[in-house]
Amino acid sequence: MSFDSNSSAKKLNFERASNFMRQFRDPDSRELKKLSANQFMEVWSHYDRDGNGYIEGTELDGFLKEFVSSANFTDVSPDAVSDSMLVELKACFMEAYDDNQDGKIDIRELAQLLPMEENFLLLFRFDNPLESSVEFMKIWREYDTDGSGYIEADELKNFLRDLLKEAKKINDVSEDKLIEYTDTMLQVFDSNKDGRLQLSEMAKLLPVKENFLCRQVFKGATKLTKDDIERVFSLYDRDNNGSIENEELRGFLKDLLELVKKDYDAQDLLEFEETILQGVEYSSDGKISRKQLTMILLALAKHHQEEEPSTP
């Protein structure tokens, strides 16, 4: 008899331990408590088990089961959530929180769901996503002050300080808190764990509204029109001077590079620039004309067409 009660107690303890979300709920009300920056990091890294920057597939199933069952006043195993309940739950949950409708949860979407310190939450909620990668490259140049091709911890701290300043919240955040935020953001976005952010990692922290080049029209599905070319050209020619140059050119190349490479740094961008520009009768003035842009986009559409298997 004593063996049975011991095994029951062990089972109950195991279930408590196996539901990671339970510790973040108020024991009386079962409401989620406000998470600190470090606690948010704990939740993220616990569920993003493969460290790919998304909670998806079985990770997402596990998170949803634990999230829901942790709200019960009695200790129940996450397995109490049936498969049919999980399907329904996932549909509602993704409709509410999967903003970009890619079927997985990214760091920003999780930040919307969990209650967090108000000031830390601000770092995930920029009022407007960047219009294009041109703006991203301008910000990159501004904060990569030593020109190393990486955003190091002190540069990231300056970026976060300016974000909070812009939100008129910097006076609410002590230097120690800012260091904690910087450390947490580094842990969250530094996928390869080298203690700094490369281009592709910073791009997750500072998202662009849309990579225009991902649209179906550039994948060879339909014929590129003059209007399509003009739209792309005006998207990157931000100063309307009739050519794409400097940060405009880097932004365009970053979007192109993202189509072929998930993880990339400043060196990858530089090498990619050389490769792309060699093929478009590139002059040494550091600019791309409409004609050169047209050649690149046509080559891109042709490449996608060749990659797609032909349908019988």
Side-chain angles (χ1 to χ4, degrees):
M1 187 75 182
S2 60
F3 174 78
D4 285 344
S5 60
N6 281 342
S7 64
S8 297
K10 277 181 185 168
K11 187 171 182 231
L12 191 61
N13 287 335
F14 171 73
E15 283 170 359
R16 272 203 184 111
S18 70
N19 192 328
F20 189 77
M21 288 306 301
R22 199 160 187 73
Q23 63 188 299
F24 302 112
R25 289 191 182 274
D26 182 280
D28 298 322
S29 68
R30 309 312 305 153
E31 290 288 314
L32 280 168
K33 295 182 279 192
K34 269 195 178 173
L35 271 61
S36 69
N38 287 333
Q39 286 173 324
F40 177 75
M41 174 62 206
E42 278 179 50
V43 173
W44 176 259
S45 52
H46 180 81
Y47 292 105
D48 179 24
R49 291 184 183 277
D50 59 7
N52 74 340
Y54 298 99
I55 295 174
E56 58 186 333
T58 54
E59 296 170 342
L60 182 58
D61 292 350
F63 169 70
L64 289 175
K65 283 181 172 184
E66 293 192 4
F67 183 78
V68 170
S69 57
S70 68
N72 281 321
F73 282 95
T74 53
D75 286 316
V76 293
S77 164
D79 293 334
V81 179
S82 67
D83 289 347
S84 58
M85 200 190 299
L86 181 64
V87 169
E88 195 177 324
L89 177 66
K90 195 187 287 188
C92 296
F93 183 86
M94 296 310 266
E95 188 180 334
Y97 295 105
D98 183 19
D99 290 340
N100 57 3
Q101 300 180 334
D102 62 357
K104 46 195 180 186
I105 292 294
D106 65 26
I107 193 90
R108 226 157 259 292
E109 290 163 343
L110 187 71
Q112 283 185 46
L113 164 71
L114 299 177
M116 290 196 292
E117 290 174 13
E118 185 192 352
N119 292 325
F120 184 60
L121 187 57
L122 276 173
L123 304 181
F124 292 96
R125 291 191 173 174
F126 308 114
D127 288 339
N128 298 297
L130 300 178
E131 277 300 316
S132 81
S133 287
V134 178
E135 279 75 20
F136 173 85
M137 292 310 301
K138 284 177 182 170
I139 291 169
W140 175 270
R141 187 185 63 168
E142 186 183 340
Y143 289 98
D144 179 20
T145 48
D146 60 2
S148 67
Y150 296 93
I151 300 291
E152 278 98 6
D154 58 332
E155 294 167 336
L156 180 61
K157 187 169 79 165
N158 290 336
F159 170 70
L160 298 181
R161 181 187 282 115
D162 287 349
L163 267 185
L164 290 166
K165 209 180 281 179
E166 204 176 297
K168 298 186 170 46
K169 292 287 184 180
I170 191 60
N171 294 333
D172 303 346
V173 179
S174 67
E175 190 65 16
D176 283 349
K177 210 50 160 161
L178 189 60
I179 290 168
E180 182 193 331
Y181 288 172
T182 303
D183 183 51
T184 304
M185 294 303 249
L186 250 186
Q187 286 182 66
V188 168
F189 290 100
D190 177 22
S191 310
N192 61 7
K193 305 301 173 200
D194 64 354
R196 56 193 183 174
L197 297 183
Q198 62 183 33
L199 267 173
S200 56
E201 292 166 344
M202 187 69 173
K204 285 201 176 89
L205 169 58
L206 198 59
V208 169
K209 196 177 285 182
E210 176 191 21
N211 183 341
F212 205 73
L213 303 179
C214 287
R215 290 191 178 181
Q216 199 58 40
V217 70
F218 302 114
K219 297 185 177 178
T222 53
K223 191 171 167 50
L224 276 174
T225 67
K226 199 173 174 182
D227 281 351
D228 294 326
I229 304 289
E230 197 51 51
R231 268 210 307 278
V232 177
F233 195 83
S234 60
L235 179 74
Y236 294 103
D237 179 21
R238 306 302 277 183
D239 58 7
N240 298 311
N241 74 344
S243 61
I244 296 173
E245 57 193 318
N246 300 323
E247 266 72 39
E248 298 170 343
L249 178 57
R250 304 284 116 69
F252 171 62
L253 291 168
K254 171 189 168 283
D255 284 349
L256 263 184
L257 184 58
E258 269 180 1
L259 301 181
V260 293
K261 204 170 166 71
K262 190 171 68 107
D263 299 315
Y264 54 89
D265 58 22
Q267 186 59 34
D268 291 326
L269 190 66
L270 194 61
E271 289 167 7
F272 188 65
E273 181 177 342
E274 287 170 8
T275 306
I276 291 289
L277 298 182
Q278 275 169 7
V280 289
E281 303 164 16
Y282 180 58
S283 57
S284 58
D285 61 0
K287 300 176 182 179
I288 279 188
S289 65
R290 275 179 178 76
K291 182 184 172 191
Q292 289 165 325
L293 180 82
T294 305
M295 286 171 67
I296 294 171
L297 293 178
L298 287 172
L300 176 66
K302 185 169 182 282
H303 172 72
H304 280 300
Q305 226 164 13
E306 287 168 359
E307 273 193 337
E308 282 181 13
S310 53
T311 48

